[in-house]
């Protein structure tokens, strides 16, 4: 549980948000299947990425983790060995789905399990295509829900059209494709984050990208790398919103990843009239990076739908908080995917923000928020979802009175020092 008081003197100062979660997971997994020692700098030591490390240790890989520095002793694809223990992914959907793609081609048996939230999340979006490729996967609800048992082996390439824009689906199938016979192609309806494509190339893999189609040839090996992980824009998003809505604020966020498949939050803030600037734009290790500066802003409502949704899917809970402070209506559509995240994020955002007095309604594929509204203190619950917990804490910075966030421990999944950053910025 954590209590957040209304911030009256503004949020001011400079912070570095922790490493990107998506990139940290991939760096460990790709390092584990690569030949040689992969070193990672800027790794996110959050619970989700630590679950990935734990699973790959159980698969026989030696991994030395010291805070944000990690060393992975890869031994090539053949270096993964049958685990004697269950592979526990904790709360992490990325670990589950990407690791299933790797396990699909390994000639041994393994069992994948996670927490109560993972047990509700749909896995058939990856287990169906992986089975079509030849992997034997079973589990509750005909292989849709954990615990899942996997017996990998000889797999064939697939030409797969995904119904959802999902980097986890795309990555899982591509990873299996790397050790399958022939070519594997994944086509998605809108572009999802492309960290897998970028990092596979850095590890020496040939990846062919043609619009929404990505292909890899089977029989490809990876070579170890030094990976530098930029700050996570999904974590920065909480302070971008806080800086825009808390009066008298100016926050500098250093070293944030600004990969165009992730920057929907920047587009929305600018569309809503926020004072946001990017400095020192550069490319680090194949990923665009910048320093961001946000100041208190007059905001107007907006419409968020279509192609932009996968570019800001994880930011919608905090965008809802932002919209409560904007003049007029904000409409979010085409975001059904929110229903299958750590919680049903349409329901949890709406129920928790209503407790603070927001004018917000759920729709079938998103939500409608009317602002501006003076939020009021109350007790809310993260429902075990890190992004809901952080969004509510940011709402607490502007609510009259104080906001108590129950189950705030969930925040450690992606942003272990989140509350320290709120305190640092409010003391300046
Ligand atoms: O890993 P997990 O639990 O799925 O985490 C979330 C998050 O909010 O941190 C989603 F709940 O991020 C996903 C993201 O929504 C991470 C991710 C990735 O690293 O590939 C891709 C997105 O999911 P998806 O299903 O759209 O591919």
């Amino acid at each position: 549980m954590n209590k957040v008081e209304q911030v009256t003197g503004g949020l001011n100062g400079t912070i570095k948000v922790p490493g990107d979660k998506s990139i940290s997971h991939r760096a460990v997994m790709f390092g584990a299947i690569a030949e040689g020692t992969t070193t990672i700098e800027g790794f996110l030591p959050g619970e989700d990425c630590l679950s990935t490390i734990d699973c790959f240790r159980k698969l026989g890989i030696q991994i030395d983790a010291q805070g944000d520095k990690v060393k992975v002793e890869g031994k090539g694809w053949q270096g993964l060995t049958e685990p004697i223990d269950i592979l526990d992914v904790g709360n992490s959907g990325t670990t589950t789905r990407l690791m299933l793609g790797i396990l699909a081609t390994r000639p041994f048996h393994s069992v994948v399990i996670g927490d109560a939230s993972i047990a509700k999340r749909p896995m058939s979006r990856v287990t169906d295509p992986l089975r079509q490729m030849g992997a034997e996967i079973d589990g509750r609800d005909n292989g849709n829900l954990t615990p899942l048992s996997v017996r990998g082996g000889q797999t064939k390439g697939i030409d797969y059209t995904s119904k959802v824009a999902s980097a986890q689906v795309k990555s899982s199938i591509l990873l299996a494709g790397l050790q399958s016979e022939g070519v594997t192609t994944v086509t998605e309806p809108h572009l999802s984050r492309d960290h897998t494509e970028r990092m596979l190339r850095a590890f020496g893999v040939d990846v062919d990208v043609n619009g929404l189609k990505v292909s890899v040839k089977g029989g490809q090996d990876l070579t170890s790398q030094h990976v530098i992980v930029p700050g996570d824009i999904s974590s920065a998003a909480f302070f971008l919103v806080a800086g825009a809505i808390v009066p008298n604020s100016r926050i500098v966020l250093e070293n944030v990843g600004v990969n165009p498949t992730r920057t929907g939050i920047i587009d929305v803030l600018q569309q809503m009239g926020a004072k946001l600037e990017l400095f020192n734009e550069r490319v680090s290790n194949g990923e665009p990076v910048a320093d961001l500066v946000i100041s208190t802003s007059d905001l107007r409502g907006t419409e968020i739908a279509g192609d932009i949704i996968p570019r800001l899917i994880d930011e919608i809970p905090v965008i809802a908080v932002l919209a409560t402070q904007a003049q007029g209506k904000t409409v979010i559509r085409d975001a059904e995917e929110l229903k299958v995240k750590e919680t049903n994020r349409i329901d949890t955002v709406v129920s928790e923000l209503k407790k603070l007095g927001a004018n917000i309604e759920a729709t079938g594929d998103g939500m409608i928020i009317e602002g501006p509204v003076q939020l009021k203190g109350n007790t809310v619950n993260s429902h075990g979802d890190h992004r809901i917990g952080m969004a509510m804490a940011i709402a607490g910075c502007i609510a009259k009175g104080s906001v108590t966030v129950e189950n705030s421990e969930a925040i450690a999944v992606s942003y272990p020092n989140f509350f320290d950053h709120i305190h640092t910025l409010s003391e300046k």
Side-chain angles (χ1 to χ4, degrees):
M1 192 181 85
N2 253 284
K3 200 173 187 177
V4 182
E5 301 291 340
Q6 183 176 17
V7 175
T8 47
L11 291 169
N12 287 283
T14 301
I15 54 168
K16 253 190 189 173
V17 297
D20 187 280
K21 178 158 78 70
S22 296
I23 296 177
S24 296
H25 281 302
R26 286 159 173 80
V28 171
M29 293 192 200
F30 297 2
I33 54 177
E35 197 71 59
T37 304
T38 287
T39 43
I40 311 169
E41 176 183 331
F43 178 80
L44 165 65
E47 285 169 8
D48 269 14
C49 300
L50 297 177
S51 295
T52 292
I53 289 185
D54 180 58
C55 289
F56 280 84
R57 280 184 178 146
K58 286 179 177 157
L59 286 162
I61 305 300
Q62 199 186 313
I63 304 175
D64 178 50
Q66 310 281 345
D68 72 347
K69 297 206 173 18
V70 177
K71 214 196 260 182
V72 185
E73 305 293 348
K75 291 178 278 182
W77 287 95
Q78 317 305 330
L80 298 183
T81 51
E82 187 166 69
I84 54 168
D85 203 354
I86 284 171
L87 302 172
D88 188 346
V89 301
N91 188 245
S92 175
T94 309
T95 311
T96 318
R97 298 197 177 108
L98 270 61
M99 187 170 66
L100 284 169
I102 292 173
L103 295 174
T105 64
R106 296 303 88 211
F108 53 69
H109 176 257
S110 47
V111 175
V112 179
I113 195 170
D115 69 5
S117 155
I118 280 292
K120 291 191 210 145
R121 295 179 69 183
M123 296 301 158
S124 56
R125 52 179 57 196
V126 297
T127 55
D128 283 351
L130 294 173
R131 279 162 155 179
Q132 285 172 38
M133 294 172 84
E136 283 177 39
I137 305 178
D138 207 352
R140 289 185 302 131
D141 190 27
N142 191 27
N144 182 35
L145 300 172
T146 58
L148 292 165
S149 90
V150 188
R151 185 171 289 283
Q154 294 268 308
T155 45
K156 283 202 212 71
I158 190 174
D159 185 350
Y160 192 74
T161 301
S162 174
K163 286 199 205 86
V164 286
S166 159
Q168 294 177 3
V169 170
K170 175 171 64 178
S171 306
S172 181
I173 299 170
L174 291 175
L175 285 166
L178 289 178
Q179 285 292 291
S180 297
E181 201 186 304
V183 174
T184 292
T185 302
V186 183
T187 309
E188 48 184 354
H190 304 278
L191 187 61
S192 65
R193 64 192 68 187
D194 66 356
H195 304 299
T196 293
E197 297 89 308
R198 287 174 189 255
M199 201 186 290
L200 280 179
R201 280 189 178 134
F203 275 75
V205 168
D206 260 344
V207 183
D208 187 43
V209 179
N210 186 0
L212 298 172
K213 247 184 216 310
V214 188
S215 305
V216 292
K217 280 201 194 88
Q220 297 202 59
D221 293 324
L222 285 73
T223 310
S224 59
Q225 294 300 314
H226 178 62
V227 181
I228 304 168
V229 183
D232 197 326
I233 189 162
S234 295
S235 298
F238 295 99
F239 289 100
L240 290 175
V241 168
I245 63 178
V246 174
N248 309 312
S249 297
R250 183 177 184 277
I251 305 175
V252 180
L253 295 143
E254 286 180 343
N255 191 43
V256 180
V258 288
N259 177 317
T261 61
R262 299 282 300 281
T263 47
I265 178 70
I266 292 180
D267 297 358
V268 163
L269 277 160
Q270 286 172 339
Q271 222 165 283
M272 293 175 81
K275 291 181 201 151
L276 168 63
E277 281 179 84
L278 278 72
F279 290 99
N280 295 329
E281 289 187 61
R282 56 210 185 261
V283 175
S284 166
N285 222 231
E287 288 280 351
V289 176
D291 300 335
L292 311 179
V293 184
I294 182 87
S295 320
T296 312
S297 315
D298 287 329
L299 302 162
R300 50 183 179 271
T302 191
E303 277 213 24
I304 305 171
D307 274 0
I308 197 170
I309 295 293
R311 297 178 52 231
L312 49 65
I313 189 73
D314 297 338
E315 287 63 79
I316 292 178
V318 78
I319 288 174
V321 175
L322 177 73
T324 67
Q325 303 310 300
Q327 189 72 46
K329 201 183 266 187
T330 294
V331 181
I332 302 173
R333 287 188 283 110
D334 303 326
E336 298 93 335
E337 274 294 297
L338 289 175
K339 295 179 183 173
V340 292
K341 298 296 181 185
E342 283 82 329
T343 56
N344 175 333
R345 286 182 178 161
I346 296 182
D347 289 354
T348 46
V349 167
V350 170
S351 72
E352 299 316 292
L353 273 180
K354 272 192 170 166
K355 290 180 189 165
L356 303 181
N359 187 348
I360 180 168
E361 293 302 332
T363 62
D365 64 351
M367 56 195 85
I368 300 175
I369 306 122
E370 189 95 51
V373 165
Q374 170 63 65
L375 300 179
K376 294 182 220 56
N378 202 346
T379 298
V380 291
N381 201 311
S382 77
H383 296 271
D385 184 334
H386 54 133
R387 304 220 186 269
I388 301 299
M390 287 186 276
M392 292 310 128
I394 297 302
C397 295
I398 49 161
K400 230 183 174 59
S402 60
V403 169
T404 301
V405 185
E406 290 180 334
N407 280 319
S408 56
E409 317 77 64
I411 292 171
V413 152
S414 64
Y415 201 156
N417 54 343
F418 172 75
F419 286 107
D420 296 341
H421 279 169
I422 294 194
H423 293 139
T424 311
L425 294 169
S426 50
E427 274 165 11
K428 287 272 160 64

